[in-house]
Amino acid sequence: RAEKGSAWSQDAYNAIDRSSPTSLKVTFEALKRASTMSLNDSLQMEYRMLHRFMEGNDFYEGVRAILLDKDNAPVWKPD
């Protein structure tokens, strides 16, 4: 467990703070659900999530902000 204020915990916080709010909520829910699933069911859920994320805006916005424009200023929908 990381100590409060450690470099690792600060880096983790900064990474989470830059992430898509929708992705964070979906990932948190998926982790809770996967804890009671078989590996096969978890992988199926992950595959479905992947396809749903590709239908939305946030994945492409993250790619734009980090890889294409390199402005590191994604505009998440919803924010």
Side-chain angles (χ1 to χ4, degrees), residues 47-66:
Y47 181 78
R48 290 182 188 122
M49 286 172 45
L50 165 82
H51 284 276
R52 292 302 299 250
F53 276 121
M54 297 300 290
E55 292 174 4
N57 172 74
D58 284 0
F59 174 78
Y60 298 101
E61 179 59 15
V63 169
R64 181 210 59 78
I66 295 170

Side-chain angles (χ1 to χ4, degrees), residues 18 62 64-67 69-75:
R18 290 188 307 266
R64 181 210 59 78
I66 295 170
L67 299 177
D69 295 345
K70 299 182 181 178
D71 62 7
N72 290 317
V75 179

